[in-house]
Amino acid sequence: MTITVAILGRPNVGKSTLFNRLVGQKLALVDDTPGVTRDRREGEANLFGFSFRVIDTAGLEERFDDSLEGRMRSQTERALEDADMALLVIDARAGLTPLDEHFANWLRRSNRPVALIANKCEGREAETGLAETYALGLGDPVPISAEHGLGMSDLFHTIRSALPEAVDAEALEEGEEGDQAGGPLQLAIVGRPNVGKSTLVNRLLGEDRLLTGPEAGITRDSIAVDWVFEDRPVRLVDTAGLRRKARVTEKIEKLSTADTLRAIRFAQVVVLLLDVDEGLEKQDLTIARMVVDEGRALVIGVNKWDACRDREAALKGIRDRLERSLPQTRGIPLVTLSAKQGQNVDRLMRAVFAAYDVWNRRVATADLNRWLDAVTAAHPPPASAGRRVRLKYMTQAKTRPPTFAIFCSKPQELPTSYLRYLENGLRDAFDLPGTPIRINIRKGDNPYAKTKTKTKTKAKAKKKK
């Protein structure tokens, strides 16, 4: 049995980009100009071995006449009639719009399973829009980046749970592989100039793939190389060294820096490489904060360990400065190595995959709410105007990094110190060392309970009539 999935949403949210990603070809035209797609486009999609029919549609417009927009809307309505399931795509960077809300209400009235897809979630600017999507009442959003192929495993599991009878056992086994089946782990090696980044990449590859030497700044472009470590595909990205912004004056170095920042933005795990003789300097901390702010998993590699004289003092100094300067990511993996001698490079890669697994970790909603009850009972939120702030409900909005939504009575009255208390508690209770954690505080009740209450109210009103 072949199922059909329709991709719907307002104009310019990335529907055609997602369609191209699913079918594996650039069949649909993609441009920043809204309204490029006008007709329905169909294709055979394959997601982790699961094949299905997918329909790309024109951007939904509130037009019901014989105009071009009205005829485009009619085509979209027919696509929904032919589909077994609808994917409502929103632009998480732009946030929720009245048009998104209008079409969410329209889809909710249809007799089709609807999944809410938050596109363009590859950077931090998408977090606010992602939190806003709960107002649509369509359940947990699926954060993805159709352009970069992020979140495809979450999309697979969403379709599987909505249409379980349509997915065979073989597809399930392949789907459980997650991003391993969907593509290689994106790993960026970053650091200051001349700390041994290219040497490390060459050592991992087992060949002199990249130019190295004693001169600082040899690497200018971010060079991506596909590789396999212990049967797991990896895309290694060697980057140009990052110096302090005030020292970057030449145009080529500015372009190299921008390329490195882009590599960090689209990586999944970032290895920050240090020179053990220089320790953890201010620029290293700046790079580390940049990685954490982008929500990427971070591993710190201490290079040139074979030449270190006082190893105990060097390691202690790095750990102490990390704890003082980056307390918000307590437990960052730290691996000592020698890229030149090949010492501990395998250990570094195992730390990378362990950090990636933590970055992808999902916690059950029931477990989160039991934990929330326990921590608020042990340390209640502060009172505001004589009334205590109530934390009502909690859920995990997305992974990569683990992002949680908490619904409370007065979100603006919850101090940063209490959020830090919750973050540290989450890190300890659910084994989330080192990875960035996001907590979004929302005003309101449990959104699912609210939906149930509305349904009951409507039922009572019908009975009275």
Side-chain angles (χ1 to χ4, degrees), residues 103-296:
F103 291 113
N105 293 332
W106 173 61
L107 286 173
R108 200 183 291 111
R109 292 193 296 270
S110 71
N111 294 320
R112 303 285 188 280
V114 180
L116 180 59
I117 310 300
N119 193 23
K120 306 181 185 180
C121 284
E122 62 271 13
R124 269 198 90 178
E125 60 268 25
E127 290 178 8
T128 301
L130 189 64
E132 290 175 355
T133 60
Y134 286 93
L136 297 178
L138 292 175
D140 292 342
V142 181
I144 69 166
S145 171
E147 183 177 358
H148 302 285
L150 302 178
M152 294 298 106
S153 61
D154 290 336
L155 180 59
F156 169 84
H157 289 294
T158 298
I159 296 175
R160 181 189 72 177
S161 60
L163 301 166
E165 70 282 355
V167 188
D168 58 27
E170 182 180 352
L172 288 182
E173 289 176 4
E174 293 187 22
E176 293 296 338
E177 298 288 332
D179 286 285
Q180 184 177 343
L185 183 149
Q186 306 285 336
L187 174 62
I189 313 293
V190 303
R192 288 180 288 110
N194 214 31
V195 294
K197 299 182 295 298
S198 298
T199 304
L200 174 59
V201 174
N202 285 342
R203 173 62 63 177
L204 290 170
L205 296 174
E207 59 176 299
D208 291 335
R209 170 65 175 78
L210 303 173
L211 188 64
T212 61
E215 304 86 357
I218 290 179
T219 302
R220 285 180 169 175
D221 298 315
S222 294
I223 307 298
V225 183
D226 289 326
W227 176 59
V228 176
F229 176 76
E230 295 183 349
D231 297 326
R232 298 187 71 172
V234 179
R235 172 161 289 180
L236 281 170
V237 183
D238 181 33
T239 63
L242 288 173
R243 295 199 299 164
R244 274 184 282 180
K245 193 173 182 180
R247 295 184 177 179
V248 180
T249 56
E250 295 183 6
K251 182 179 179 181
I252 292 178
E253 188 173 1
K254 287 181 179 179
L255 293 173
S256 298
T257 299
D259 206 24
T260 299
L261 297 179
R262 185 178 181 277
I264 292 173
R265 191 171 297 116
F266 296 116
Q268 295 169 332
V269 183
V270 176
V271 170
L272 172 57
L273 202 61
L274 311 179
D275 185 329
V276 67
D277 292 331
E278 298 177 9
L280 191 65
E281 294 194 346
K282 186 177 179 181
Q283 177 64 3
D284 297 314
L285 289 170
T286 300
I287 298 170
R289 288 193 189 98
M290 190 187 309
V291 173
V292 171
D293 288 344
E294 285 294 337
R296 303 298 167 235

Side-chain angles (χ1 to χ4, degrees), residues 7 10 12-23 25-31 35-39 41 55-59 89 119 146-147:
I7 303 173
R10 63 180 178 81
N12 214 32
V13 294
K15 300 183 298 300
S16 296
T17 305
L18 177 58
F19 174 85
N20 287 343
R21 172 68 59 181
L22 292 174
V23 299
Q25 303 178 60
K26 291 185 178 180
L27 296 181
L29 290 178
V30 176
D31 192 79
V36 172
T37 302
R38 290 181 171 176
D39 292 298
R41 181 182 291 274
I55 306 177
D56 183 27
T57 64
V89 182
N119 193 23
E147 183 177 358

